[in-house]
Structure formats: structure tokens, C-alpha cells
Amino acid sequence: MIFNAVGDSRPYPDHSLVTPRDWADVAPRQVRLDELVTTKTTLDLSALLAEDSTFFGDLFPHVVQWRGTLYLEDGLHRAVRTALHQRSVMHARVLELED
């Protein structure tokens, strides 16, 4: 199993962080792939295979921690690439939301 669960939406409240610049103040930390719940059910294969997939975006995936669950909001291709390299941990920006 790669992820804790596969979701198809964002069950947490809006946090208004949209651009990589918005997320820049959230320090990256290590997260385990098997603790993540995805918020997308589909993966863009071209993003997975692109060598420069982070050229215009954030280097780190975006994760939202809400009610004790870690939701992978952005960076599904990076997480899958991490798993394909047989690693179970990756660095991500984790935003902790209150109820």
C-alpha cells in the first residue's frame, strides 16, 4: 500500500493558500507516504514523467493536516515518484488546520 487512502475531494475547510509563494512560509518536514490521504483520484502521467515537473511550481508537495489526518493536496506525482524509487518518506510542506 502506498497511501493510507485515496480520496477525491478536500474535506477540510478552505485555507486560502493557492500559489507557491503563499505556501513558502510553511516549512517542509518529512511525511510518510502511508500516512497520506490523496485529494485526487487521477494522476497526470505527463507530470509524473516530466524531468522538470517542479520548474514552475514548488519543490515540495503540499499537505494539509486536519483532524489528525494528512491530506495530500498538491504533489501527487511527486509522491508516486517517491514510491517508485522505493522510498516511504518524502519532504512536504504541512499546513496544520484547526477545527
Side-chain angles (χ1 to χ4, degrees), residues 33-61:
L33 295 179
D34 61 2
E35 293 177 343
L36 295 173
V37 175
T38 68
T39 59
K40 299 175 186 170
T41 57
T42 58
L43 172 66
D44 180 4
L45 190 56
S46 62
L48 176 67
L49 300 176
E51 291 183 23
D52 62 349
S53 65
T54 59
F55 185 75
F56 293 106
D58 195 346
L59 178 64
F60 301 103

Side-chain angles (χ1 to χ4, degrees), residues 1-5 33-36 83 88:
M1 170 170 58
I2 297 174
F3 300 112
N4 183 7
L33 295 179
D34 61 2
E35 293 177 343
L36 295 173
S88 60

Side-chain angles (χ1 to χ4, degrees), residues 55-75:
F55 185 75
F56 293 106
D58 195 346
L59 178 64
F60 301 103
H62 300 161
V63 173
V64 175
Q65 183 174 356
W66 185 61
R67 295 184 175 172
T69 301
L70 294 171
Y71 295 96
L72 179 60
E73 181 175 288
D74 182 52

